Amino acid sequence: IAFYTYRKNAFYHRISLKEKEDSFKKLFEVNPFPLVLTSMTDGGIVEVNERALQFYGVSKDELSQYKAADFYKSNEERIPVIKELKRSGHVRNHIIEQKAANGQYKWVLLNYELVEYANEKCILTGVTDVTDLKKIEAELIRHASYDTLTGIHNRRSGLMLLSDLNEKAKAAHDPFVLCFIDVNNLKVVNDKYGHGEGDFLIKRVCTIINEFIGEQDIFFRYGGDEFIIVFSQKDLNEVTAIWTEIVSQLSSDVQLRKKPYPVSVSHGLYLYDTKENISIEDMIDKADQEMYREKDEIKRGIS
């Protein structure tokens, strides 16, 4: 009687599980978003719906060749997800880049749920393609961080980068040189030849300066015709040599030599010593003062 009762209960349990699995598969297939069911043990793919096959560019016949890790940039990206699933049973709104079968990368928002399926612990993953949203986000960040006229960093993002560099320089005891730049006679060019010509002058000056600065340096528009370069890991002699090359290139540039107005820029340098207790505003002010000394000399024809 006990054996019969056990077999009967097991039989009904299998029927119940089968009914649940059938219902699960139906819900799985009708879901409008890509769904992937993978084994918690080895990451093998247990089930996918048609939307997921289309999204990842895989056919049903090819599924056996893939595991969950194959759609990640690296297996390390899955490790914190697995840890959190073991801890809480779910992971919400996880945004990463995943790759399709053709090697194309897409930004996705993933929601994971630890489920029981066919007497096995599995990971149910809901996939939402957010590639277009990430592109819009990147464009918004670009507009918020870069000057629309010159393409270099704007004041807000430039000062943020300078602040970060300042903290790193303090920690590493690594000085840097701040260069304050002013494009001379821009107002005269705007008034006499139009703002379009003034815009051209600013853009051309920035293009030339960009050719002489390194990737670790910071170049941003401080405002109007004023710009700042932060030369990282360089001393005053190195920066003076670079600036001499910039001025030489500005004076010999073919596009600028065709213009009916003189082109010149004034600059002031400030060497930041990490032993010195000084704010970023004061650094800029000191370089600005040096720039005005040079500008005054240019006006008086001394240099």
Side-chain angles (χ1 to χ4, degrees):
I1 292 172
F3 181 70
Y4 171 76
T5 303
Y6 171 78
R7 290 290 302 272
K8 184 181 73 169
N9 290 339
F11 175 73
Y12 284 124
H13 180 64
R14 285 198 300 272
I15 291 176
S16 177
L17 282 177
K18 184 70 169 60
E19 288 175 347
K20 287 179 180 178
E21 287 174 15
D22 289 342
S23 298
F24 179 84
K25 284 184 178 180
K26 288 177 182 177
L27 291 170
F28 202 75
E29 283 301 329
V30 299
N31 196 291
F33 294 99
L35 290 176
V36 182
L37 188 69
T38 55
S39 169
M40 181 73 167
T41 307
D42 62 3
I45 297 175
V46 179
E47 292 282 353
V48 295
N49 65 359
E50 188 61 34
R51 290 299 181 96
L53 292 173
Q54 294 172 7
F55 183 77
Y56 290 107
V58 180
S59 68
K60 275 276 189 185
D61 297 334
E62 297 173 321
L63 273 181
S64 59
Q65 304 172 23
Y66 292 94
K67 289 195 173 184
D70 294 324
F71 300 107
Y72 290 77
K73 279 188 169 182
S74 69
N75 194 48
E76 284 71 25
E77 288 187 316
R78 293 184 70 241
I79 294 173
V81 173
I82 300 298
K83 284 183 179 178
E84 182 59 25
L85 282 170
K86 288 179 178 178
R87 189 189 70 82
S88 66
H90 62 263
V91 176
R92 300 282 185 260
N93 302 327
H94 185 59
I95 298 178
I96 59 169
E97 267 189 300
Q98 283 195 318
K99 59 182 176 181
N102 62 3
Q104 179 187 4
Y105 282 94
K106 302 177 182 180
W107 281 99
V108 292
L109 183 146
L110 303 176
N111 283 280
Y112 304 87
E113 196 76 34
L114 195 60
V115 298
E116 192 85 19
Y117 183 79
N119 287 324
E120 181 185 3
K121 281 194 179 297
C122 294
I123 303 170
L124 177 62
T125 307
V127 184
T128 304
D129 186 357
V130 293
T131 304
D132 290 339
L133 290 176
K134 289 295 288 185
K135 288 178 180 177
I136 293 170
E137 179 187 48
E139 189 66 18
L140 289 173
I141 291 173
R142 192 182 71 80
H143 281 297
S145 303
Y146 290 88
D147 178 55
T148 54
L149 176 64
T150 61
I152 65 174
H153 285 281
N154 59 23
R155 178 175 180 143
R156 173 184 159 276
S157 64
L159 289 174
M160 287 175 63
L161 291 171
L162 175 53
S163 179
D164 290 342
L165 177 64
N166 185 40
E167 292 303 315
K168 291 175 183 176
K170 283 179 182 177
H173 302 288
D174 192 10
F176 58 80
V177 177
L178 189 149
C179 178
F180 196 100
I181 302 166
D182 183 271
V183 179
N184 296 324
N185 302 316
L186 181 64
K187 185 177 185 306
V188 174
V189 173
N190 281 332
D191 291 345
K192 192 171 182 179
Y193 303 100
H195 285 274
E197 197 61 43
D199 288 347
F200 166 82
L201 174 58
I202 287 176
K203 287 190 288 185
R204 190 61 192 158
V205 167
C206 288
T207 298
I208 290 171
I209 289 175
N210 259 323
E211 295 173 359
F212 292 90
I213 61 177
E215 290 184 6
Q216 75 278 10
D217 301 328
I218 302 169
F219 182 31
F220 64 98
R221 190 176 186 180
Y222 191 64
D225 55 358
E226 296 175 337
F227 300 85
I228 287 176
I229 308 174
V230 185
F231 291 97
S232 178
Q233 300 178 345
K234 295 181 179 69
D235 59 30
L236 280 175
N237 289 333
E238 291 175 296
V239 172
T240 299
I242 293 170
W243 184 254
T244 300
E245 291 180 6
I246 291 172
V247 172
S248 175
Q249 184 60 37
L250 285 170
S251 62
S252 62
D253 182 71
V254 175
Q255 293 193 44
L256 291 176
R257 290 183 70 176
K258 291 178 181 178
K259 297 302 177 181
Y261 47 80
V263 176
S264 69
V265 289
S266 301
H267 84 300
L269 301 178
Y270 172 74
L271 174 63
Y272 170 59
D273 186 344
T274 55
K275 296 176 183 176
E276 189 176 4
N277 185 20
I278 184 172
S279 68
I280 288 174
E281 291 76 13
D282 287 339
M283 292 182 207
I284 294 173
D285 186 57
K286 286 180 179 293
D288 187 23
Q289 290 174 24
E290 291 299 315
M291 181 276 296
Y292 269 105
R293 288 193 186 95
E294 183 176 86
K295 181 182 279 289
D296 187 55
E297 291 176 353
I298 291 173
K299 285 181 179 179
R300 291 188 286 115
I302 296 176
S303 65

